[in-house]
Amino acid sequence: MKIRKIQSRDALAWSALRIEFLPEIKDISQQEVNDFFLGTYPNIKEVFIALDDTSQNMIGFIELNLRNNIPGSRQQTTPYIEAWFVSPSYQGQGIGKALIKTAENWAREQGFHELGSDAPITNEKSVNLHKQLGFNEVERVVCLLKRLTHDS
């Protein structure tokens, strides 16, 4: 297994893996990927990918951003894990841990002392993995949104 910064030649494989992670982004994934490589996608600053032993197949990724006012953070701006995924057939082999370590090193190189992340409340596996890797739970929240119509 090898971890490296993503390159533009990885765009199609990254988009496919993102869809495996979140099938609901199928219609927007490739555009987001294209925008990232153009430098116009504001929600991702850096991406690292994990490749299999042949270095031919992408088997995981971690997407990083910088966010302001992260709950529990002592920093105004905090490096943040926007997405973290390893294909199911490769899980349990330390790949996710290696991706987190790479994210930590990236954050340190940027001069930061903390790294933020989140997981759905119902995803106990992800919450537990985060905790095993040294993350502390700082809050639980259910975010709600109501679309407003102009006639009421």
Side-chain angles (χ1 to χ4, degrees):
M1 186 254 327
K2 176 182 177 180
I3 294 180
R4 64 167 169 78
K5 261 187 197 186
I6 198 161
Q7 300 168 1
S8 59
R9 64 184 162 105
D10 302 314
L12 290 176
W14 178 34
S15 181
L17 210 56
R18 291 176 91 229
I19 293 167
E20 184 179 345
F21 174 53
L22 288 173
E24 62 270 19
I25 67 168
K26 180 180 180 189
D27 294 332
I28 60 169
S29 180
Q30 193 60 54
Q31 186 59 53
E32 290 177 348
V33 166
N34 293 344
D35 290 347
F36 169 80
F37 286 113
L38 290 171
T40 59
Y41 189 62
N43 297 330
I44 303 172
K45 296 289 181 208
E46 190 63 79
V47 178
F48 293 94
I49 59 171
L51 302 169
D52 67 6
D53 290 335
T54 68
S55 293
Q56 299 297 312
N57 300 305
M58 189 182 304
I59 57 174
F61 66 88
I62 194 162
E63 299 175 2
L64 302 165
N65 199 8
L66 299 176
R67 288 192 184 184
N68 293 325
N69 303 313
I70 298 302
S73 178
R74 294 177 305 246
Q75 305 168 132
Q76 174 64 33
T77 302
T78 305
Y80 202 84
I81 299 169
E82 297 294 344
W84 173 39
F85 179 71
V86 175
S87 287
S89 58
Y90 290 92
Q91 292 176 3
Q93 300 176 31
I95 298 164
K97 181 179 182 177
L99 285 165
I100 292 289
K101 292 296 180 197
T102 301
E104 291 172 357
N105 290 336
W106 176 81
R108 280 188 204 97
E109 289 169 6
Q110 309 299 311
F112 293 101
H113 306 287
E114 295 175 313
L115 178 64
S117 189
D118 61 43
I121 291 173
T122 57
N123 190 340
E124 287 299 321
K125 179 180 179 181
S126 180
V127 171
N128 289 333
L129 283 170
H130 278 86
K131 288 178 180 179
Q132 288 172 18
L133 294 172
F135 287 84
N136 295 309
E137 185 174 321
V138 294
E139 75 177 19
R140 289 196 171 224
V141 63
V142 175
C143 296
L144 304 161
L145 179 70
K146 180 178 181 178
R147 297 219 181 261
L148 302 176
T149 60
H150 292 289
D151 26 324
S152 38

